Amino acid sequence: MSNQNQTEKRAIDLVNASLKKRYAKERRFRHVGQAAVIMGLLFVSFLFISIIGNGYTAFEHTFVRLNIEFSEQEIDPEGKRDPQALSTANYAGLVKAAMRAEFPDVKARKDKRALYKLISSGASLALREMVLANPEIIGTKKEVWLVADDDIDMLIKGHIDRNVPESDRRVSDKVIGWVEQFESKGAVEKQFNTTFFTNGDSREPELAGIGGAVMGSLYMLLVTLALSFPIGVAAAVYLEEFAPQNRWTDLIEVNINNLAAVPSIVFGLLGLAMFINFFGLPRSAPLVGGLVLTLMTLPTIIIASRAALKSVPPSIREAALGIGASKMQMVFNHVLPLAMPGMLTGTIIGMAQALGESAPLLMIGMVAFIVDIPGGPFDPATVLPVQVYLWADSPERAFVERTSAAIMVLLGFLFIMNFLAIILRRRFERRW
Amino acid sequence: MPNTVLILVLLGLMAVAYQLARKRSLGVVGGGAGVRKLHSLPSYYGFYAAIWCGLPALIVFGLWNAFQSTIITDLMVADLPAEVRSLGQAELGLVVNDIRNLAEGNITSGEVSPEMRAAADHYLSLEQTSAAALAVVVLSLAVLGTGLAWRLVSPKFRARNQVEFVVKGLLIISSTIAIFTTIGIVLSVLFEAIRFFEMIPFTEFVFGLDWSPQMAIREDQVGSSGAFGAIPLFAGTLLISFIAMVVAVQIGLMSAIFLSEYAGKKMRAFAKPVLEVLAGIPTVVYGFFAALTVAPFIRDNGSLIGLDVSSESALAAGLVMGIMIIPFISSLSDDVINAVPQAMRDASYGVGATQSETIRQVIIPAALPGIVGGVLLAVSRAIGETMIVVMAAGLSANMTANPLQSVTTVTVQIVTLLVGDQEFDSPKTLAAFALGLMLFVVTLALNVIALHVVRKYREQYE
Amino acid sequence: MDTATAVDEMGGDMSQTVATEGAFDHEKASQAFVGKVGEIAVDNPRMTARKVNVYYGEKHAIQDVNLDIGKNEVISMIGPSGCGKSTFLRCLNRMNDTIDICRVAGEIKLDGQDVYDKKLDVVPLRAQVGMVFQKPNPFPKSIYDNIAYGPKIHGLVSNKADLDEVVESSLRRAGLWSEVKDYLDQPGTGLSGGQQQRLCIARTIAVSPEVILMDEPCSALDPIATAKIEELIDELRENYTIAIVTHSMQQAARVSQRTAYFHLGKLIEVGNTDDIFTNPSHKLTEDYITGRFG
């Protein structure tokens, strides 16, 4: 007995002796876990800070006020106010004239050319719009805010440092001098950048916008939604409610699960070989993008829809069958409406996936440089994430800003979609 | 008649067919009071007629449109002058393209010869004939179908069963799309890959150490013999995936453990959704982040301590890819860890183990198959990830294990080979499909194994 | 409230509760029932529980339980489902700590040391007070690793030879050695239910505890396996103190020296097993033993 007691004591002493070390380990493990979480959170914040920090300035753009003389001689020497003549007139000349008037002492050809480059080439288009909208303006003199060149914009926003030696910066001292002259007169101003939202792509950063890409994304999502929602729901209904348990259904199931994990670029190869080369559908069209993304999002939607159908209790089915409904009536009148919120949630998440996807779209030619805003799913177009990819390749500092801003818009859309999905789930989630 | 108008007319006809058959079903039993004598509700007779009206017509419409352009082009080519037809395939393609552009009123690439003008006219007339024929065929099919259904309406006729039969057929077809997608993927990469392997031997592709897919356009061009040894690509892919997995597995697994076992409610409620935000961010954003922020950061810091870091280092791409995969690993590990039964924890605490001992020696070993399955899925994702590497990794095929150097990956090469000007039938373009085939086979194998492992694991504790 | 009236009928002395009354005056409400339950205290206590109250969130799962567990005795706890006997058992080595909403008030002492003392460490406590669970729960590891786990984490052995010895002696004491000695590297989950439960007992023994708590250890086993475990419990009594929760009154009668009867979270009666089963002094105990409910 006493011997036993002694060994017991020994055991607990040993336990106590090991405790310090073990607790040190415990603490270390805990700290490692904590560090992992903090790292993860840091990555998230770093990502967002870097993008927002780079991009928020793109929502404003620098404008320069110029005293434009809408001289009749330049615009409409014949005085007929013929719209054809008005729209082909030399508006860039007006801008140049105004600049010359502003800086009368700039004489050298090279300097003049540099001077004209202060104002974006898009300014003449703006003037044309003004004249076409209101021809009475011709012959008058008016102060107009015109879009500044992207380098000037970067200078004003401070992305080009004025203190750096001249050879290291894109803007020469002379240009800075002119800009400062404008600034001293209050003729430089940052205004909300509407062009960014309404324009299509452009080689000139100050004229480039996401309007075309947003429309392209919209058409593509419409095609995807119109195809993947009905097909996905139908497939889920069949597999969950009608399919017999056999090898064929197993095969379908394995296929769906695997497709959900196939790299997206492989779907791009499918789209290229099948839809474009074999069926001869147009390249760069949102239609083809939509088809490819339909195949990609189907697994997501089918899996979510099946989960929604599974959550409808069997008692509902029995009740419907019990009063003599056919199986089809039971499914379409009772089960499907109850499962609909879950299916819609899955569909929204699938659409969010499709909206953010870019790799397969590179394969089917949606990387083309497209200036026009697409008018339908057959027009060549690009989409928002691909626009980000295209701009990310451009060297100009102004495109970095616009890329980040485009990402912010993209993330905004994704946030809204996911938020909708969460609301839908909260609102209609039933506990049986 | 343009296709949209044709479809609208067809939809209209279907509505008419629905109404006609519904009325007739009521008529044959003598109005609303006789509904009970009908086998099915009147609307089912209506649907039945609408299906007969629309379905055959739509099938013909779809097939017609799928093959129309190929057939018309063949017909047109057959009528081209012999010397044009004897041109090579590539040149012929250009001519056909020009003719099509001419017919559609677009700008053509060269001078418009009278032969081309004639061919374009021919093409246009063929198109018009085809469209007219299509309209006639589709509309008459619709009317015939409606007539047939209308004749079949009788009280004994089981319209509901017939309609349900068709609906079930549609459901089955929808469910098989997954299989057709897989078949489509296999066929589209396989055929092109086989054509590639006819030009470049399979062994050279799989075991070759040199990758430079530029082909000489002129005979005398230097340094572009075209070498298609894919080993450097595989090595680069593995290097970047490895870096990504090192980052993602450690952070993902440890944060899943911390959040599910240690963290308080508030911490969990905050950190979990924030980490999951990472899963919803498009890959192109990660690519931009890697190229613009992370890569220069690593390069600058590397040069501070005297390291020569490439501006397209594998480390930057791998690191950012790892960040992308964190939520994937952490949510999968979370599921798996929670699936370990409480009895295991009780047993361990019951003999006096500390929390970390329980986690490390009981829970993780018990959850290991599930975690491994999740990691395999993540590896397949890392291998197939495209945008991050396209934007942040290099193009030069280096064989190196140094993460500070630039490497290229399978997906990067697929994109570079296929984006931009393509010449079909050149090994350069076809190589992309061979790489795609490799990618598909490897990721498929990983997925099958991983899904199997995860399922077996789930069954174990159910 | 037939419990209350039944307790009142009983009478009995309140002497045991007097000593602890002052400390827990915030729970006066339930004091009326305390101390009428027979021989709570023993001469040679290993564990003592006084005025233990347990709450699961809002639910008051255990009310004012006082009970001693003597050295080298087997005490069994019986009572209908949900009476709190398992909850009480789990309080003794603070296994309830793993349940977030569970709150324990009162005093439980092991060899005079309060186990709910804030400064006390649960790790050595659980090494001293081991536990065997209702369902056999071997780790998904080999038989050897199952046993070796405890000694390894607690640092009880310094080399492989010692560890082998501990594994062997634990398995021998659990009566499992002869059955598994050739399969020590096979997974513990591959054993039969009865063998698994003896493996779990061996795993508990391997850390040399002073008290072993058993929570219905035979409820998932067949009669033959049950008989083996009961035999084992009887042998273990020599070296360990054992508290066992059981559903089976026959089992309680066979293995234990003392028996405590729980009802709706209260300790109704405790005494020598023979007395409880042959001559219960409480109406509720009698009804339960004679099978009127439970």
Side-chain angles (χ1 to χ4, degrees):
Chain A
M1 195 76 234
S2 68
N3 188 23
Q4 180 60 38
N5 257 348
Q6 243 164 19
T7 59
E8 274 179 34
K9 277 283 166 273
R10 227 186 65 218
I12 191 62
D13 287 344
L14 279 171
V15 171
N16 284 329
S18 70
L19 276 181
K20 215 176 137 194
K21 243 170 128 185
R22 289 168 68 193
Y23 277 121
K25 261 192 190 168
E26 170 80 28
R27 266 195 308 279
R28 241 174 298 152
F29 188 73
R30 217 189 139 99
H31 287 321
V32 171
Q34 220 159 11
V37 174
I38 290 171
M39 285 273 270
L41 297 180
L42 272 181
F43 282 142
V44 180
S45 42
F46 195 46
L47 180 71
F48 277 90
I49 289 170
S50 126
I51 283 164
I52 295 174
N54 270 320
Y56 78 98
T57 47
F59 296 109
E60 280 188 330
H61 193 85
T62 307
F63 285 74
V64 176
R65 190 183 59 203
L66 274 184
N67 215 342
I68 299 282
E69 191 184 348
F70 292 93
S71 87
E72 181 149 14
Q73 238 175 346
E74 279 278 359
I75 304 171
D76 196 14
E78 292 167 25
K80 287 188 194 149
R81 300 289 186 266
D82 172 22
Q84 185 70 36
L86 289 186
S87 63
T88 53
N90 178 14
Y91 292 98
L94 299 185
V95 180
K96 286 176 185 170
M99 289 299 270
R100 278 195 303 270
E102 200 80 30
F103 298 97
D105 39 328
V106 175
K107 293 277 189 254
R109 275 182 66 121
K110 221 177 107 199
D111 288 351
K112 273 190 188 166
R113 215 176 301 140
L115 182 64
Y116 300 151
K117 278 181 91 181
L118 254 61
I119 304 294
S120 162
S121 55
S124 52
L125 292 178
L127 291 180
R128 189 176 76 179
E129 295 296 307
M130 278 176 77
V131 170
L132 287 178
N134 180 17
E136 277 155 38
I137 212 169
I138 295 170
T140 63
K141 212 169 176 181
K142 207 177 165 196
E143 291 200 324
V144 182
W145 286 100
L146 291 174
V147 180
D149 185 64
D150 60 305
D151 283 338
I152 307 306
D153 184 43
M154 289 298 105
L155 184 74
I156 297 294
K157 286 172 179 166
H159 294 311
I160 294 178
D161 191 351
R162 299 183 195 198
N163 300 322
V164 169
E166 188 177 7
S167 55
D168 289 355
R169 70 175 124 73
R170 277 178 66 94
V171 184
S172 67
D173 285 343
K174 211 177 277 167
V175 173
I176 291 184
W178 295 329
V179 171
E180 275 167 357
Q181 213 169 318
F182 271 122
E183 274 178 318
S184 63
K185 285 193 291 179
V188 176
E189 194 177 276
K190 280 190 278 182
Q191 295 178 359
F192 183 70
N193 190 354
T194 41
T195 0
F196 179 68
F197 294 97
T198 52
N199 271 25
D201 200 0
S202 167
R203 295 278 184 235
E204 298 296 327
E206 70 271 14
L207 299 178
I210 54 170
V214 168
M215 289 315 284
S217 278
L218 182 73
Y219 288 126
M220 195 185 66
L221 280 193
L222 283 179
V223 173
T224 310
L225 182 66
L227 290 172
S228 65
F229 180 65
I231 294 176
V233 168
V237 164
Y238 176 72
L239 291 174
E240 208 51 51
E241 305 287 339
F242 295 100
Q245 268 301 320
N246 58 23
R247 274 163 170 252
W248 179 245
T249 2
D250 275 354
L251 182 70
I252 294 179
E253 223 154 292
V254 169
N255 257 297
I256 290 172
N257 285 334
N258 278 323
L259 280 182
V262 165
S264 58
I265 192 170
V266 174
F267 284 95
L269 291 176
L270 167 76
L272 175 61
M274 203 67 122
F275 298 134
I276 293 185
N277 289 346
F278 188 72
F279 286 117
L281 291 171
R283 278 176 87 83
S284 312
L287 175 75
V288 183
L291 284 172
V292 171
L293 291 182
T294 298
L295 299 182
M296 252 189 74
T297 48
L298 262 182
T300 313
I301 295 176
I302 294 177
I303 291 168
S305 300
R306 289 187 70 180
L309 287 170
K310 265 199 194 105
S311 73
V312 176
S315 58
I316 303 268
R317 298 182 173 82
E318 283 159 12
L321 292 178
I323 53 168
S326 73
K327 200 157 181 196
M328 200 63 80
Q329 286 169 326
M330 163 200 103
V331 170
F332 281 93
N333 298 343
H334 298 279
V335 180
L336 206 54
L338 289 172
M340 203 39 92
M343 294 175 158
L344 285 176
T345 311
T347 307
I348 294 177
I349 289 171
M351 289 301 114
Q353 228 177 39
L355 177 58
E357 196 53 71
S358 35
L361 306 179
L362 302 185
M363 303 283 92
I364 54 168
M366 292 189 97
V367 273
F369 172 71
I370 291 150
V371 180
D372 295 328
I373 290 174
F378 291 94
D379 290 355
T382 189
V383 294
L384 211 38
V386 177
Q387 187 71 72
V388 168
Y389 166 70
L390 287 171
W391 283 352
D393 256 1
S394 308
E396 288 97 335
R397 177 63 184 75
F399 269 125
V400 170
E401 182 185 276
R402 277 174 169 68
T403 314
S404 304
I407 288 175
M408 282 159 74
V409 172
L410 176 62
L411 290 180
F413 279 123
L414 290 176
F415 176 77
I416 291 169
M417 288 169 94
N418 282 299
F419 189 69
L420 263 180
I422 292 170
I423 298 265
L424 202 64
R425 191 176 296 162
R426 291 256 167 90
R427 201 60 215 281
F428 293 99
E429 195 176 48
R430 260 178 233 245
R431 294 231 170 263
W432 301 96
Chain B
M1 205 182 294
N3 284 342
T4 35
V5 177
L6 189 56
I7 289 289
L8 286 178
V9 170
L10 191 58
L11 286 176
L13 279 178
M14 282 169 74
V16 172
Y18 173 86
Q19 284 302 336
L20 278 178
R22 210 182 82 93
K23 288 259 169 60
R24 180 172 154 92
S25 73
L26 283 173
V28 290
V29 292
V35 166
R36 295 204 60 114
K37 287 186 208 145
L38 283 171
H39 170 270
S40 315
L41 286 174
S43 60
Y44 278 106
Y45 293 93
F47 281 128
Y48 182 71
I51 287 170
W52 263 109
C53 166
L55 204 57
L58 278 175
I59 290 172
V60 168
F61 179 82
L63 289 177
W64 194 294
N65 271 309
F67 294 105
Q68 160 172 287
S69 83
T70 338
I71 293 172
I72 292 184
T73 308
D74 284 354
L75 284 175
M76 179 198 71
V77 169
D79 278 8
L80 281 176
E83 73 263 25
V84 180
R85 266 183 294 154
S86 61
L87 285 170
Q89 211 177 1
E91 278 171 79
L92 187 63
L94 287 177
V95 172
V96 167
N97 215 13
D98 263 1
I99 294 171
R100 259 199 224 138
N101 276 334
L102 192 61
E104 281 157 24
N106 291 338
I107 305 155
T108 51
S109 60
E111 290 278 301
V112 179
S113 63
E115 288 93 40
M116 272 178 72
R117 170 64 62 198
D121 288 345
H122 186 200
Y123 184 82
L124 265 186
S125 76
L126 279 172
E127 241 182 3
Q128 279 161 359
T129 322
S130 158
L134 175 61
V136 171
V137 171
V138 163
L139 294 183
S140 41
L141 264 178
V143 172
L144 275 176
T146 313
L148 181 69
W150 197 74
R151 279 177 59 91
L152 278 173
V153 173
S154 75
K156 288 242 174 76
F157 180 68
R158 301 176 165 210
R160 182 175 54 72
N161 304 40
Q162 297 287 328
V163 169
E164 289 182 352
F165 180 77
V166 174
V167 172
K168 196 167 170 186
L170 289 177
L171 294 183
I172 292 178
I173 290 173
S174 302
S175 74
T176 53
I177 290 208
I179 290 184
F180 285 119
T181 309
T182 311
I183 295 175
I185 290 175
V186 171
L187 290 185
S188 51
V189 292
L190 200 62
F191 275 135
E192 310 280 321
I194 286 173
R195 279 164 70 194
F196 173 74
F197 290 129
E198 277 165 5
M199 296 179 221
I200 311 286
F202 182 72
T203 46
E204 189 190 321
F205 176 70
V206 178
F207 299 112
L209 297 178
D210 191 20
W211 177 268
S212 61
Q214 292 311 317
M215 296 293 278
I217 298 170
R218 298 186 311 274
E219 292 295 315
D220 54 338
Q221 220 168 5
V222 196
S224 41
S225 50
F228 293 93
I231 290 281
L233 308 190
F234 299 150
T237 307
L238 286 181
L239 177 63
I240 290 183
S241 306
F242 177 75
I243 298 170
M245 295 316 294
V246 168
V247 174
V249 170
Q250 295 193 59
I251 295 184
L253 186 60
M254 280 314 292
S255 55
I257 287 171
F258 184 79
L259 289 178
S260 68
E261 302 277 331
Y262 286 103
K265 257 196 190 135
K266 270 190 192 157
M267 172 82 171
R268 199 166 26 222
F270 167 73
K272 250 184 139 173
V274 171
L275 285 183
E276 265 154 31
V277 163
L278 287 173
I281 293 177
T283 53
V284 69
V285 177
Y286 284 109
F288 180 66
F289 179 61
L292 190 85
T293 312
V294 178
F297 178 81
I298 292 177
R299 191 193 53 214
D300 295 347
N301 280 303
S303 63
L304 274 185
I305 54 168
L307 285 174
D308 182 26
V309 185
S310 157
S311 59
E312 292 177 329
S313 63
L315 185 61
L319 186 69
V320 172
M321 197 190 279
I323 295 175
M324 180 193 84
I325 296 174
I326 288 174
F328 191 75
I329 296 262
S330 74
S331 69
L332 252 164
S333 329
D334 199 50
D335 285 357
V336 165
I337 287 171
N338 285 330
V340 175
Q342 183 63 30
M344 290 294 113
R345 281 162 235 249
D346 282 350
S348 177
Y349 292 135
V351 293
T354 63
Q355 207 165 353
S356 68
E357 283 160 358
T358 305
I359 293 166
R360 273 191 303 192
Q361 300 185 31
V362 176
I363 296 180
I364 295 202
L368 201 58
I371 294 175
V372 168
V375 170
L376 284 182
L377 278 180
V379 170
S380 115
R381 206 168 233 231
I383 291 177
E385 170 49 41
T386 307
M387 293 317 287
I388 295 177
V389 280
V390 165
M391 294 168 83
L395 286 175
S396 55
N398 290 330
M399 282 273 275
T400 175
N402 179 357
L404 302 179
Q405 283 190 354
S406 151
V407 295
T408 191
T409 73
V410 173
T411 47
V412 172
Q413 291 303 320
I414 294 178
V415 171
T416 31
L417 293 178
L418 285 185
V419 169
D421 300 328
Q422 295 173 18
E423 16 173 353
F424 269 90
D425 298 330
S426 93
K428 190 184 149 201
T429 312
L430 293 175
F433 287 92
L435 289 173
L437 179 67
M438 289 284 152
L439 186 65
F440 180 69
V441 169
V442 170
T443 51
L444 186 73
L446 278 172
N447 295 337
V448 170
I449 295 169
L451 290 173
H452 180 77
V453 169
V454 171
R455 197 166 59 191
K456 274 268 153 342
Y457 170 75
R458 292 253 157 81
E459 280 166 3
Q460 184 191 337
Y461 289 122
E462 251 162 24
Chain C
M1 256 323 267
D2 63 317
T3 317
T5 48
V7 170
D8 280 342
E9 278 165 24
M10 277 285 311
D13 71 52
M14 299 202 33
S15 57
Q16 280 93 8
T17 60
V18 175
T20 54
E21 219 176 84
F24 300 101
D25 54 352
H26 56 282
E27 266 156 17
K28 266 180 186 148
S30 42
Q31 272 178 15
F33 309 109
V34 178
K36 304 170 182 177
V37 293
E39 285 300 315
I40 289 166
V42 294
D43 297 338
N44 195 6
R46 177 128 267 172
M47 296 196 84
T48 56
R50 289 293 175 269
K51 304 208 70 165
V52 174
N53 281 277
V54 181
Y55 305 86
Y56 285 123
E58 293 293 294
K59 198 181 161 237
H60 198 168
I62 296 224
Q63 300 172 28
D64 282 322
V65 170
N66 302 293
L67 189 64
D68 278 6
I69 299 167
K71 271 193 183 133
N72 298 82
E73 76 166 358
V74 176
I75 180 168
S76 59
M77 299 168 193
I78 58 171
S81 308
C83 67
K85 52 193 193 303
S86 285
T87 304
F88 178 70
L89 193 77
R90 289 171 70 95
C91 287
L92 295 178
N93 74 343
R94 293 182 52 177
M95 275 310 284
N96 282 335
D97 287 13
T98 56
I99 301 162
D100 281 343
I101 54 163
C102 179
R103 195 163 60 79
V104 180
E107 186 185 73
I108 297 173
K109 283 184 171 171
L110 171 68
D111 294 332
Q113 164 74 45
D114 185 358
V115 306
Y116 277 92
D117 188 340
K118 284 237 156 60
K119 277 177 276 172
L120 183 118
D121 193 341
V122 298
V123 167
L125 168 71
R126 287 182 189 148
Q128 281 170 286
V129 185
M131 186 149 194
V132 176
F133 298 85
Q134 189 167 357
K135 239 179 98 193
N137 54 356
F139 299 126
K141 303 171 177 236
S142 71
I143 293 172
Y144 184 93
D145 285 341
N146 260 287
I147 310 288
Y149 178 67
K152 261 199 232 162
I153 57 167
H154 289 302
L156 297 183
V157 288
S158 46
N159 55 46
K160 178 86 168 73
D162 285 358
L163 189 60
D164 288 347
E165 201 185 303
V166 170
V167 169
E168 182 178 341
S169 70
S170 306
L171 282 171
R172 272 189 200 286
R173 280 201 222 169
L176 199 59
W177 176 250
S178 56
E179 292 164 54
V180 301
K181 63 171 188 266
D182 298 327
Y183 315 101
L184 288 180
D185 55 347
Q186 299 291 309
T189 41
L191 298 171
S192 74
Q195 287 174 321
Q196 285 190 14
Q197 194 62 299
R198 278 181 284 150
L199 179 69
C200 294
I201 293 175
R203 185 175 65 193
T204 310
I205 294 171
V207 285
S208 312
E210 291 161 33
V211 181
I212 301 176
L213 308 175
M214 297 189 177
D215 188 358
E216 302 190 27
C218 303
S219 64
L221 305 182
D222 60 66
I224 295 170
T226 303
K228 277 205 170 138
I229 304 262
E230 286 177 4
E231 226 170 274
L232 175 61
I233 292 172
D234 209 43
E235 285 164 23
L236 292 174
R237 184 160 68 92
E238 222 174 283
N239 298 325
Y240 307 97
T241 299
I242 295 171
I244 175 168
V245 163
T246 175
H247 244 104
S248 147
M249 280 167 285
Q250 292 84 341
Q251 186 171 59
R254 281 193 299 264
V255 301
S256 67
Q257 284 76 56
R258 287 207 307 149
T259 297
Y261 174 67
F262 284 73
H263 190 94
L264 288 174
K266 297 189 184 85
L267 176 61
I268 302 300
E269 185 171 0
V270 59
N272 282 332
T273 300
D274 293 343
D275 293 347
I276 295 279
F277 281 99
T278 53
N279 185 21
S281 49
H282 202 294
K283 184 77 171 55
L284 278 170
T285 318
E286 189 185 332
D287 285 354
Y288 180 68
I289 287 166
T290 51
R292 284 201 202 140
F293 62 86

